Amino acid sequence: MNQKPYISIIIPGIRVANWKAVYDSICDSTNRSFELIFSGPYDLPENMKDLRNVKFVKDFGSPVRSSCVAASLSEGKLLTWSADDALVLPGSLDKNIELLENMGDDERNVIVCKYLEGKNGTAKSVQNDEYFRLSGSDWTSSPYLPKSWWLFNAPIMYRTFFEELGGWDCQFKGTFYSHADMAVRAQFLGANVKMSEHLFLDCDHSQDDHFPIEKAQVHHDKPVFLQRYRDPNWTQNEMRIKMDNWKDSPSVWERFLK
């Protein structure tokens, strides 16, 4: 009988050429058992098809829908997510898991992690704490949200709490705003969130294939998020959604129809 992984890592993506490097970076970041779940429209590369701790689901929906489909296959006690232009820093997954474990047994405990970002080959600096808060940007700030609340761009959390929340909301198309929306719902429902002192990811900035995501975020997701949370009555929203809400999302993202 196969032992279940300790942590599941969800990555929706299209940069298939990066996937083995992402996998290798995870291997260098933890001694714990893990599963890596990719989702997207392109096939798993040949050099990964024999890896027993890699799952792949083909999906032509939005990145958020693909993430939800991947999460439905997860089996780990813990859950995190990333992107396929990000490498996990050596030893960092274990360090951040230990920090979460040291917070105690409450399954609403969450670690949020900092990451480096910028075009590979350029200098990358560590941003201050405010950069990782909902209040730190006009993209996610609201006078009606607590200024202390964190973004969930790179968290580690218990899968049971993720499932209690219902995962990500497929009303959003790009992952950034679905992560921010989850952060609001989680912290409203009592998440105990701690910022880690351990850097987690080194993220590249690839502009050549990012335009559809930026377009979705700016023209669709941002208005939805701000309308929802720049409203004094936002607490009346449903904070727990259906884990299978992805089934109500188009199975083919409109970008594939153009």
Side-chain angles (χ1 to χ4, degrees):
M1 187 174 183
N2 291 333
Q3 184 179 8
K4 289 186 177 181
Y6 191 65
I7 185 166
S8 301
I9 302 158
I10 308 298
I11 299 182
I14 59 171
R15 305 176 183 97
V16 177
N18 295 353
W19 289 6
K20 184 59 164 59
V22 172
Y23 174 84
D24 290 341
S25 75
I26 298 169
C27 292
D28 290 337
S29 76
T30 183
N31 291 314
R32 291 171 169 80
S33 61
F34 71 88
E35 64 175 358
L36 176 57
I37 311 176
F38 287 107
S39 60
Y42 306 129
D43 291 337
L44 192 69
E46 288 295 327
N47 63 354
M48 301 188 74
K49 289 184 176 178
D50 292 332
L51 296 172
R52 294 187 177 183
N53 60 342
V54 172
K55 295 177 181 175
F56 170 72
V57 56
K58 179 169 283 193
D59 190 77
F60 292 91
S62 72
V64 180
R65 176 194 150 98
S66 288
S67 296
C68 290
V69 175
S72 72
L73 303 177
S74 64
E75 299 180 87
K77 179 179 181 179
L78 305 181
L79 190 70
T80 188
W81 47 89
S82 185
D84 61 6
D85 60 355
L87 298 179
V88 185
L89 294 166
S92 65
L93 190 52
D94 273 349
K95 291 176 184 176
N96 285 298
I97 289 174
E98 287 168 11
L99 197 60
L100 177 62
E101 293 171 336
N102 290 338
M103 289 178 68
D105 297 329
D106 190 338
E107 292 190 342
R108 294 192 177 190
N109 291 339
V110 181
I111 289 292
V112 291
C113 306
K114 292 186 178 182
Y115 45 86
L116 301 170
E117 58 182 342
K119 187 172 178 59
N120 283 351
T122 65
K124 303 181 185 184
S125 59
V126 181
Q127 301 286 351
N128 61 30
D129 284 3
E130 295 311 304
Y131 183 82
F132 299 95
R133 295 189 194 273
L134 286 157
S135 60
S137 168
D138 185 60
W139 285 60
T140 52
S141 63
S142 166
Y144 307 111
L145 296 177
K147 293 186 180 300
S148 61
W149 281 6
W150 299 99
L151 288 163
F152 275 21
N153 290 345
I156 301 174
M157 65 192 303
Y158 289 90
R159 183 164 57 89
T160 49
F161 187 38
F162 177 89
E163 292 176 349
E164 178 188 340
L165 295 168
W168 299 290
D169 189 340
C170 288
Q171 290 189 54
F172 301 99
K173 305 300 181 183
T175 56
F176 171 77
Y177 273 109
S178 72
H179 298 165
D181 171 75
M182 173 180 280
V184 174
R185 293 187 287 114
Q187 287 167 104
F188 177 79
L189 291 173
N192 309 306
V193 186
K194 182 176 182 178
M195 168 57 75
S196 172
E197 64 266 31
H198 307 298
L199 280 173
F200 187 26
L201 303 170
D202 184 357
C203 306
D204 191 14
H205 267 189
S206 174
Q207 299 301 318
D208 294 340
D209 53 12
H210 199 255
F211 178 72
I213 303 298
E214 290 186 10
K215 185 176 179 181
Q217 289 178 168
V218 172
H219 298 292
H220 180 273
D221 295 350
K222 186 177 181 180
V224 171
F225 183 90
L226 296 183
Q227 182 179 30
R228 184 176 294 183
Y229 294 115
R230 287 184 181 170
D231 181 338
N233 298 312
W234 70 267
T235 57
Q236 297 178 20
N237 295 335
E238 182 58 59
M239 299 298 164
R240 295 179 178 88
I241 61 176
K242 298 187 302 179
M243 267 294 292
D244 63 353
N245 79 90
W246 60 268
K247 293 180 180 178
D248 299 324
S249 180
S251 59
V252 179
W253 191 21
E254 54 267 23
R255 68 157 289 197
F256 289 111
L257 300 177
K258 297 178 181 178

